[in-house]
Amino acid sequence: MKKNKVIKFFTESNKAFTLISILLGFIIGGLILWFSGFNPFTAYAVIFKGIFSKPSYISYTIIRSTPLILTGLSVAFAFRTGLFNIGAEGQYIVGSAAAALAGYYIQLPAVLLIPLVILIAIISSGIWGAIAGLLKSKYGIHEVISTIMLNWIALYLQNYITKIKGFAKPNSEASKFIQDAANITFFDNWKHSDKGMAWLNNHHFAKEILRTPANFGIIIAILCALLVWIILNKTTLGYKLRAVGFNKEAARYAGINIEKYMIISMFISGSLAGLAGALHVMGVSHNITNLSAMEGYGFDGIAVALIGSNAAFGTIWSGFLFGALKYGGTKIQPFMGAPSEIISIMIGTIVFFISMPNIIKISLNKILLKNKKRGEDVK
Amino acid sequence: MENKKMPALEMRNITKKFGDFVANDNLNLIVQKGEVHALLGENGAGKTTLMNILYGLYTPTSGDIFLNGVRTNILNPKIAIENKIGMVHQHFMLVKNFTVTENIILGKEKKNKLGKLLLRKSKKDIVALSKKYGLLVNPDDKIEDITVGMQQRVEILKALYRGADILILDEPTAVLTPQEIKELGIIVKNLTAEKKSIIFISHKLKEITQFADRCTIIRRGKLIDTLNVTDVTEHELASKMVGREVNFKIEKKKANPQKPILKIENLVVKNNMGLVAVNKLSLEVKAGEILGIAGIDGNGQSEFVEAITGLRKAESGKFSISEVDLTNKTPREIFLNKVAHIPEDRQKFGLVMDFSVKENFILQTHSYAEFSDKGFLKNKNVEDFANKLVAKFDVRPTNINKKARDLSGGNQQKVIIAREVTHDPQLLIAVQPTRGLDVGAIEFVHKSLIKQRDEGKAVLLVSLELDEVMNIADRIAVIFEGEIVGIVDAKKADINQLGLMMSGGKL
Ligand SMILES: Nc1ncnc2c1ncn2[C@@H]1O[C@H](COP(=O)(O)OP(=O)(O)OP(=O)(O)O)[C@@H](O)[C@H]1O
Ligand SMILES: [Mg+2]
């Protein structure tokens, strides 16, 4: 009886696949470490400690996860509506550049400025995404092609912006910092003041946390996941978007303007990725720099969405997993000289198995059913 | 005389559950070598499920399969193919822009040592195979360019090419023209002559009595009987399958036609290849009547319906609904003028297969005040509505959260009919509305159409089944090469005369 429940869970449930894939990622990562002469258990212990052993580590993990959750949501949202948004990277860049510009130039009190900067970033990156949607619906240009190109345009656009006179920080490859009123890092001014430092010296835990650029971002990211879930499942907009994603012909026939909804979908998707960039600028970096290559938050979003089964809340968990591994993984290099790239291999492995659920399904079926004796009634 | 021969296939005590739902309940099926064995059962009875188990697409919850007496665990289609089982699905699984040859050899390509495809050699094999069984195809044609009947042959060849001894045909005739059905009958004979076994699923009782040797009847997942086809009448088969008496001939009152609703004048429509498919067609359908369009497949019916439902552009001419010109308007505008449509291709146009039943019910109406409020769906209303329709139209199972994809073909059709009829249309366009439906469901659909008529709606019925048109329609318009070649009163219609008109002979 019980055994069959277990079999069923593992052969039929999505969550189980994900868990098995993650486990396989760890096993294969471990094997590779082992072959390269490192003790995998030590390595994982180092990673684990590197994530959890101090409040500041946890804080860094969360900070690292925030943009990944958002870009993951961006890719997942597009995917749920039948679009493959490879452009989260470019939308992220547009969002951060817009936030950096708005946060530097617009003079308003914080209560107004913060929402305004976020709004501007969301709209600009949304438009950046919508361009791909427009190209697809008007000219049939596949969004994979157009978003890849838009990524490069965004990159060079940002590099151009960081060179604008007055905005560029003299003698550097970066822009000027955003104003304090646009800064969402917790107590950023206070914690560097004499008073703040004195207080923090007596409050260890708070000091640990505030050593990091902890900020509101994660709350916004989680709210966005909730919002995405509501849009997709509870609103007529989500209904239409999913109908278009599942079956364009039937949607068109039912009177849904599929061109319009493709553009809307890419707008929302783009704005989620752009929000990731904006929050990063407002909460962590406070400026933008001249990029020589893509930073990869957008591309990582594809993996995050995949691991999260393209579900809103799944993306939160996979964003955290991804962020934790990325952050914790950096620690094995200094501690034991093992390459941090192992994390990328692990994530690659996880994605590999998740994209091919049948490998697991078939092998499990084989293993589990072989033991089934002849004529035994399984109920 | 004792028959010691092993059956080619024995499925023993097969049970398959989807969650709590029992699709197959302790089923037994024995198929002999060289036999045509029919599976008969209502929509959703579990026929396809049983065959999917045999083909390794589903693993049974319990039960065993014996092939030539040997117990075999068929975990996936690959194992099924290795064990010489072939399946032609209800919906074909061909690569549209591959040629016939490429499709047949896919996954079993002949290569030389360097891995180069030996296409010419394969082509020879295929031609030989197709000659042997009378399955004539042109190996170089692309799938997208050939008829459904041809595609089916390709599917059968594909199975034979893989050495199938047991061939599953899931509703093979549903998509065929009468002529093609006859040809399929000959092919089946050729196959059984070679000692191949055929499992044949069909809702058409006539075919079962013509083609099959034995017949296994399933009702709601349970085995009812296996019998020799020669021993029974079609009527007995039908009542065994449904569990009650079925009326083949629907009673209907005299039509009471009112003012014309649909008016078509000199409509010209081109097909995908740019040729004229509908040629200056003019027609009127009145409120309170069923106008049936009879014709052989490919005489412009699809293009005609697509044009008046907004899916295809009309080159010239016009049509109107209650005097509102709707020529070349969008499907939405046509829908808003109270035209309902039961489309020919239900999976492409009628349903979003990955939506639940309840979501499919509100495909056109989700933004109406009844179902939404300030952009939010009113889930409770949607569910009440869905439950009402599921009960009224006897959709099985009654779970409104089930995906359309997981419904049987017949129940998918019921979902569409329920939705379209509930729109309270002025004009209902039904294209092949009973394709793939069991006799009980057909009776239901026919009654629904007549009920629409009696409520004063105009009904346009397009069907390739002449019987259906003759039984249901009040007037019959015969289409030939895109033109209406004559309109006859259904009561006075004569099948021979109609047949003549359908093939181009004028009155
Ligand atoms: N993958 C699935 N998940 C859940 N339920 C399913 C699934 N596949 C089939 N069913 C259910 O099992 C029942 C049997 O379906 P099946 O397709 O075997 O019917 P069928 O006899 O082939 O009917 P039809 O003549 O309409 O094709 C149906 O009620 C269907 O809804
Ligand atoms: Mg079926």
Side-chain angles (χ1 to χ4, degrees):
Chain A
M1 282 289 227
K2 211 169 171 193
K3 191 178 147 211
N4 281 302
K5 277 235 172 86
V6 177
I7 293 184
K8 211 167 175 179
F9 176 69
F10 279 107
T11 48
E12 281 171 23
S13 127
N14 237 334
K15 288 192 186 91
F17 281 140
T18 309
L19 289 179
I20 292 174
S21 305
I22 291 171
L23 194 69
L24 285 169
F26 275 86
I27 292 174
I28 289 178
L31 284 175
I32 292 174
L33 279 168
W34 188 52
F35 286 135
S36 350
F38 301 101
N39 182 337
F41 297 103
T42 326
Y44 286 147
V46 169
I47 293 177
F48 190 79
K49 275 196 205 134
I51 299 169
F52 292 109
S53 64
K54 279 191 189 170
S56 65
Y57 293 170
I58 296 180
S59 175
Y60 270 120
T61 300
I62 292 173
I63 293 166
R64 206 78 162 84
S65 308
T66 306
L68 293 172
I69 292 174
L70 282 166
T71 53
L73 281 173
S74 159
V75 176
F77 188 89
F79 194 83
R80 288 284 291 278
T81 63
L83 295 162
F84 199 18
N85 181 13
I86 307 275
E89 189 70 40
Q91 294 141 14
Y92 176 97
I93 295 174
V94 169
S96 34
L101 281 172
Y104 177 75
Y105 282 112
I106 301 175
Q107 310 275 344
L108 279 175
V111 268
L112 294 177
L113 187 57
I114 290 172
L116 183 67
V117 170
I118 290 181
L119 192 71
I120 290 173
I122 286 178
I123 292 177
S124 356
S125 52
I127 291 173
W128 204 252
I131 293 173
L134 185 79
L135 289 174
K136 177 160 191 172
S137 62
K138 271 256 160 18
Y139 306 105
I141 299 168
H142 200 278
E143 71 275 13
V144 167
I145 311 275
S146 58
T147 51
I148 288 177
M149 295 178 137
L150 284 163
N151 284 346
W152 290 104
I153 300 175
L155 180 112
Y156 290 112
L157 190 65
Q158 162 151 336
N159 289 352
Y160 172 77
I161 289 171
T162 46
K163 292 199 174 68
I164 293 176
K165 246 212 186 118
F167 185 54
K169 200 155 69 182
N171 306 321
S172 87
E173 287 283 283
S175 76
K176 288 191 178 146
F177 288 115
I178 55 171
Q179 307 159 56
D180 289 341
N183 186 338
I184 59 166
T185 314
F186 289 141
F187 312 111
D188 206 19
N189 267 330
W190 175 81
K191 74 188 184 190
H192 293 119
S193 69
D194 292 340
K195 211 168 125 208
M197 286 204 271
W199 188 86
L200 284 173
N201 277 333
N202 294 324
H203 296 82
H204 187 68
F205 183 81
K207 185 182 174 188
E208 273 282 313
I209 297 280
L210 290 184
R211 258 180 53 196
T212 71
N215 62 67
F216 292 110
I218 189 65
I219 298 165
I220 298 179
I222 289 172
L223 286 178
C224 280
L226 187 67
L227 193 68
V228 163
W229 183 83
I230 290 175
I231 291 179
L232 282 176
N233 296 301
K234 296 282 163 196
T235 66
T236 49
L237 172 67
Y239 178 93
K240 290 191 177 96
L241 289 171
R242 285 185 300 127
V244 173
F246 284 137
N247 183 348
K248 289 202 175 50
E249 301 296 338
R252 187 198 303 280
Y253 179 62
I256 297 171
N257 181 342
I258 63 171
E259 286 78 19
K260 177 172 141 197
Y261 285 96
M262 258 182 321
I263 297 173
I264 293 180
S265 171
M266 282 305 290
F267 182 92
I268 295 176
S269 175
S271 62
L272 285 163
L275 180 58
L279 292 177
H280 188 75
V281 166
M282 298 165 78
V284 182
S285 67
H286 304 131
N287 70 351
I288 52 173
T289 50
N290 190 36
L291 298 171
S292 53
M294 309 267 180
E295 289 175 295
Y297 285 113
F299 294 127
D300 288 346
I302 299 171
V304 171
L306 255 172
I307 297 175
S309 314
N310 292 309
F313 297 113
T315 306
I316 296 182
W317 295 120
S318 80
F320 275 129
L321 173 76
F322 210 123
L325 286 176
K326 282 239 150 170
Y327 174 67
T330 56
K331 312 239 164 143
I332 55 174
Q333 196 125 13
F335 272 90
M336 46 192 301
S340 308
E341 279 75 21
I342 198 71
I343 298 299
S344 306
I345 296 182
M346 278 169 62
I347 289 166
T349 315
I350 298 173
V351 168
F352 175 83
F353 283 110
I354 285 188
S355 345
M356 294 191 213
N358 283 339
I359 294 188
I360 298 177
K361 217 186 256 183
I362 291 170
S363 342
L364 269 176
N365 259 329
K366 265 200 182 139
I367 299 166
L368 294 170
L369 288 177
K370 218 176 243 166
N371 304 329
K372 213 178 92 188
K373 278 201 217 81
R374 169 184 175 157
E376 182 192 344
D377 199 39
V378 191
K379 271 195 192 114
Chain B
M1 188 183 71
E2 208 182 272
N3 192 351
K4 276 243 167 97
K5 269 193 301 182
M6 276 294 175
L9 163 73
E10 179 174 0
M11 297 182 83
R12 202 182 283 170
N13 302 331
I14 301 283
T15 294
K16 174 69 188 176
K17 293 184 184 174
F18 294 109
D20 290 333
F21 180 79
V22 189
N24 285 346
D25 191 352
N26 214 12
L27 286 179
N28 289 298
L29 175 70
I30 297 180
V31 180
Q32 305 293 347
K33 285 197 187 71
E35 165 183 56
V36 180
H37 195 114
L39 273 187
L40 182 63
E42 290 176 280
N43 297 121
K47 305 176 296 290
T48 301
T49 303
L50 186 68
M51 291 302 104
N52 281 342
I53 289 173
L54 177 57
Y55 197 58
L57 287 166
Y58 292 154
T59 37
T61 313
S62 66
D64 294 301
I65 299 174
F66 296 85
L67 296 170
N68 297 314
V70 184
R71 182 172 168 276
T72 316
N73 240 339
I74 305 176
L75 296 172
N76 55 49
K78 194 163 159 265
I79 299 180
I81 293 167
E82 281 163 14
N83 283 289
K84 299 186 176 301
I85 298 172
M87 179 157 180
V88 178
H89 291 268
Q90 214 163 343
H91 305 102
F92 300 157
M93 316 236 166
L94 297 168
V95 184
K96 286 227 158 44
N97 46 8
F98 270 20
T99 65
V100 169
T101 307
E102 287 166 334
N103 264 288
I104 292 175
I105 63 173
L106 191 66
K108 208 174 176 284
E109 303 89 354
K110 285 207 168 65
K111 296 176 214 156
N112 68 10
K113 281 197 205 97
L114 297 172
K116 184 182 177 298
L117 262 185
L118 298 174
L119 266 184
R120 201 162 317 138
K121 171 85 181 61
S122 315
K123 215 151 72 184
K124 242 187 238 154
D125 295 348
I126 290 167
V127 171
L129 203 60
S130 75
K131 282 226 179 85
K132 183 169 170 193
Y133 296 107
L135 280 154
L136 297 181
V137 292
N138 180 356
D140 294 322
D141 281 349
K142 279 203 177 150
I143 295 299
E144 57 197 359
D145 297 333
I146 62 179
T147 63
V148 188
M150 280 292 168
Q151 294 182 16
Q152 184 174 67
R153 290 183 179 182
V154 175
E155 284 277 18
I156 297 176
L157 276 171
K158 203 165 121 188
L160 294 174
Y161 186 77
R162 284 158 179 69
D165 280 338
I166 299 174
L167 189 64
I168 306 163
L169 302 177
D170 194 353
E171 299 198 30
T173 58
V175 292
L176 299 186
T177 63
Q179 179 58 30
E180 286 171 326
I181 293 175
K182 246 185 233 158
E183 289 163 9
L184 180 69
I186 297 169
I187 293 165
V188 165
K189 284 247 155 57
N190 294 341
L191 289 167
T192 47
E194 293 282 324
K195 284 288 166 219
K196 297 201 184 287
S197 308
I198 294 183
I199 303 177
F200 180 90
I201 302 181
S202 175
H203 291 294
K204 297 181 191 162
L205 302 163
K206 211 193 309 174
E207 287 166 9
I208 290 184
T209 50
Q210 276 171 9
F211 289 14
D213 303 308
R214 290 194 307 149
C215 176
T216 290
I217 300 167
I218 303 172
R219 192 193 308 151
R220 300 197 181 200
K222 289 200 176 68
L223 181 73
I224 300 299
D225 207 349
T226 296
L227 24 83
N228 282 328
V229 170
T230 39
D231 301 343
V232 285
T233 64
E234 285 175 32
H235 232 100
E236 282 167 335
L237 283 177
S239 43
K240 276 210 170 198
M241 158 178 137
V242 187
R244 63 175 166 87
E245 279 296 310
V246 187
N247 286 325
F248 286 131
K249 186 93 187 168
I250 304 280
E251 295 157 40
K252 54 172 187 175
K253 293 194 302 253
K254 201 171 159 298
N256 181 18
Q258 307 286 319
K259 64 175 195 321
I261 299 289
L262 172 67
K263 274 194 204 162
I264 305 168
E265 282 167 52
N266 293 318
L267 193 70
V268 176
V269 188
K270 287 186 175 164
N271 64 14
N272 287 344
M273 295 190 268
L275 305 173
V276 171
V278 176
N279 194 5
K280 299 218 173 114
L281 185 146
S282 299
L283 200 63
E284 266 186 17
V285 187
K286 300 191 183 80
E289 76 163 351
I290 301 179
L291 180 94
I293 301 230
I296 297 169
D297 196 16
N299 274 287
Q301 293 98 321
S302 309
E303 289 84 359
F304 165 61
V305 172
E306 282 170 13
I308 60 172
T309 48
L311 294 171
R312 185 182 285 271
K313 196 173 143 266
E315 302 294 324
S316 63
K318 61 176 189 177
F319 71 93
S320 61
I321 303 286
S322 295
E323 308 295 332
V324 182
D325 186 357
L326 291 174
T327 320
N328 290 331
K329 292 286 191 303
T330 62
R332 185 73 187 167
E333 284 167 293
I334 294 172
F335 171 79
L336 290 176
N337 277 284
K338 294 198 147 299
V339 178
H341 179 200
I342 301 166
E344 181 174 13
D345 191 336
R346 60 180 85 120
Q347 303 201 338
K348 188 164 168 199
F349 293 111
L351 294 169
V352 177
M353 297 296 274
D354 290 300
F355 265 4
S356 61
V357 168
K358 80 177 175 205
E359 286 174 317
N360 269 299
F361 276 142
I362 55 168
L363 205 53
Q364 298 106 328
T365 51
H366 55 267
S367 306
Y368 288 12
E370 190 186 351
F371 301 124
S372 75
D373 181 24
K374 300 190 187 74
F376 280 86
L377 287 172
K378 291 183 185 165
N379 196 32
K380 171 128 199 331
N381 286 14
V382 175
E383 290 192 342
D384 289 347
F385 177 70
N387 280 320
K388 217 170 65 198
L389 290 200
V390 161
K392 191 168 160 204
F393 289 82
D394 190 29
V395 178
R396 286 182 227 162
T398 52
N399 179 359
I400 55 169
N401 291 312
K402 205 161 182 154
K403 278 187 183 174
R405 183 180 299 294
D406 294 338
L407 292 185
S408 75
N411 281 297
Q412 290 173 359
Q413 184 74 332
K414 284 190 190 169
V415 169
I416 297 177
I417 293 176
R419 181 184 70 208
E420 296 298 320
V421 167
T422 312
H423 292 151
D424 187 26
Q426 299 187 59
L427 170 71
L428 175 64
I429 303 171
V431 187
Q432 296 276 62
T434 58
R435 174 189 280 181
L437 264 56
D438 66 62
V439 284
I442 290 176
E443 186 186 359
F444 178 84
V445 171
H446 287 169
K447 277 188 179 154
S448 305
L449 293 182
I450 292 169
K451 184 150 172 274
Q452 292 297 302
R453 178 200 78 169
D454 291 344
E455 286 171 12
K457 285 149 192 172
V459 179
L460 177 67
L461 168 69
V462 182
S463 174
L464 301 178
E465 310 267 349
L466 199 48
D467 289 345
E468 175 164 88
V469 178
M470 291 179 73
N471 276 338
I472 301 308
D474 301 308
R475 290 192 301 146
I476 302 174
V478 179
I479 190 169
F480 175 71
E481 294 188 340
E483 291 177 46
I484 299 294
V485 290
I487 298 181
V488 290
D489 185 338
K491 279 199 292 298
K492 296 179 196 131
D494 166 69
I495 190 156
N496 294 321
Q497 177 208 359
L498 285 176
L500 189 66
M501 288 163 74
M502 280 160 62
S503 44
K506 297 249 170 183
L507 272 183

